[in-house]
């Protein structure tokens, strides 16, 4: 299978059968794009059921099967066309990725507040491509959780050490926050982050230079936020546009946020894609 061909969401009956047969996390050979996973177990934190329920059984409300049953079927993702990066000493700052391709991007921030256990299984089962902008202390404390998401297609990126506003701070302070987090994330996950999101989206020209000097190819804001299952648009169109970046957080309602994001992306005629495939 091509490394960029998207798969449609599997039928719930197929999902349940797979869940019944598998029970440990995927290995290091997993592709980076979660929607491509064909046969892979969810996570050791969620034991497989002893037998698959009937294909005609109605999933229990807000069970894993219910969430998956609510996920729409998406058009196949186009072949990613990475955007050109400016040849300057600063990283570009984007609210949305500058692309006309019919894709949108799901991002999840922070990591310290809550880590719903069902999220790993939902991301795997529904093939959801996610980018995680993590604070390095949260990543260090809960490394196993984020590794499980990484194993089923998520990618870890940089969100500073202390989650303080960077705008107006010295270059030395900003570089320490960004490079220091990048160093720690690389140590925990074996890959240096290539994307950066400043806390609260607050930044200045010094932020973009420091991010570039710490290895970031681009700095991202967002065009929609998702909280407690509701999409809040930051642009007057009130519809997701190609290249839009959706922001949510590791909070208790993350399952609902992921589902709401998927439905909004589908209503816009787009397909969720992995941000890292477009910024290389």
């Amino acid at each position: 299978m091509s490394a960029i061909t998207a798969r449609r969401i599997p039928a719930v009956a197929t999902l349940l059968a797979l869940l019944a047969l598998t029970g440990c996390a995927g290995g290091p050979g997993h592709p980076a794009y979660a929607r491509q996973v064909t046969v892979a177990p969810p996570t050791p934190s969620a034991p497989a059921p002893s037998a698959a329920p009937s294909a005609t059984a109605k999933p229990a409300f807000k069970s894993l099967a219910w969430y998956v049953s609510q996920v729409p079927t998406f058009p196949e993702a186009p072949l990613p066309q990475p955007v050109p990066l400016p040849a300057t000493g600063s990283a570009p700052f984007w609210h949305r990725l500058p692309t006309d391709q019919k894709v949108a991007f799901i991002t999840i921030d922070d990591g310290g507040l809550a880590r719903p256990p069902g999220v790993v299984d939902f991301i795997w089962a529904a093939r959801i491509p996610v980018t995680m902008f993590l604070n390095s202390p949260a990543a260090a404390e809960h490394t196993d959780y984020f590794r499980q998401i990484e194993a089923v297609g998520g990618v870890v990126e940089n969100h500073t050490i202390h989650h303080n506003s960077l705008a107006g701070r010295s270059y030395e302070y900003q570089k320490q926050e960004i490079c220091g987090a990048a160093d720690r994330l690389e140590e925990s996950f074996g890959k240096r982050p290539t994307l950066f999101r400043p806390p609260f989206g607050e930044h200045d020209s010094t932020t973009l230079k420091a991010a570039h000097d710490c290895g970031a190819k681009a700095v991202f804001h967002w065009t929609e936020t998702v909280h407690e299952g509701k999409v809040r648009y930051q642009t007057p169109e009130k519809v997701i546009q190609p290249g839009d970046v959706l922001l949510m957080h590791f909070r208790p309602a993350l399952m609902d946020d992921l589902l709401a994001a998927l439905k909004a992306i589908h209503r816009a005629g787009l397909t969720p894609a992995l941000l890292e495939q477009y910024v290389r």
Side-chain angles (χ1 to χ4, degrees):
M1 179 182 299
S2 166
I4 45 76
T5 303
R7 294 183 57 88
R8 295 183 182 276
I9 300 299
V12 177
T14 303
L15 163 70
L16 291 171
L18 283 172
L19 290 177
L21 293 173
T22 58
C24 61
H30 253 13
Y33 189 31
R35 290 173 65 83
Q36 296 172 345
V37 177
T38 52
V39 177
T43 165
S45 66
S50 58
S54 167
T56 59
K58 185 176 180 180
F61 182 59
K62 293 205 172 184
S63 64
L64 173 61
W66 180 86
Y67 278 103
V68 175
S69 73
Q70 302 300 303
V71 176
T73 299
F74 290 94
E76 291 193 353
L79 180 70
Q81 297 177 0
V83 300
L85 295 171
T88 67
S90 294
F93 179 80
W94 288 323
H95 289 269
R96 63 160 54 102
L97 189 80
T99 181
D100 293 328
Q101 292 196 283
K102 290 190 169 185
V103 292
F105 306 100
I106 294 174
T107 66
I108 316 173
D109 278 15
D110 297 352
L113 179 61
R115 291 153 304 282
V119 163
V120 180
D121 303 284
F122 187 34
I123 288 172
W124 171 79
R127 318 295 196 255
I128 307 172
V130 299
T131 297
M132 299 176 282
F133 288 98
L134 301 180
N135 302 123
S136 58
E141 186 175 356
H142 308 287
T143 304
D144 288 346
Y145 179 84
F146 300 118
R147 279 180 178 167
Q148 288 171 6
I149 296 178
E150 188 181 47
V152 296
V155 179
V156 172
E157 299 292 1
N158 191 345
H159 197 43
T160 72
I161 300 174
H162 297 108
H163 202 268
N164 295 326
S165 176
L166 298 179
R169 300 287 192 121
S170 69
Y171 172 81
E172 290 73 20
Y173 178 88
Q174 297 199 43
K175 186 178 179 183
Q176 173 56 37
E177 280 291 314
I178 301 170
C179 286
D183 292 343
R184 298 181 193 185
L185 292 169
E186 183 177 18
E187 182 178 350
S188 294
F189 298 95
K191 172 187 171 292
R192 192 168 185 82
T194 60
L195 305 180
F196 174 65
R197 172 171 283 151
F200 319 109
E202 296 173 354
H203 71 287
D204 55 20
S205 60
T206 302
T207 310
L208 304 185
K209 175 165 176 44
H212 172 273
D213 294 348
C214 294
K217 297 178 180 179
V219 177
F220 279 93
H221 200 264
W222 54 85
T223 41
E224 290 85 23
T225 62
V226 192
H227 180 53
E228 295 184 344
K230 183 176 181 180
V231 177
R232 294 170 171 85
Y233 296 90
Q234 312 293 302
T235 56
E237 298 96 337
K238 302 300 181 185
V239 64
I240 296 176
Q241 303 290 323
D244 272 10
V245 178
L246 290 83
L247 165 68
M248 58 196 72
H249 293 80
F250 282 98
R251 291 173 174 158
L254 183 54
M255 298 274 281
D256 297 306
D257 295 343
L258 287 167
L259 182 58
L262 292 172
K263 288 183 176 180
I265 293 170
H266 183 263
R267 285 195 301 271
L270 307 178
T271 297
L274 193 64
L275 193 56
E276 285 75 6
Q277 291 188 335
Y278 289 77
V279 185
R280 297 178 182 173

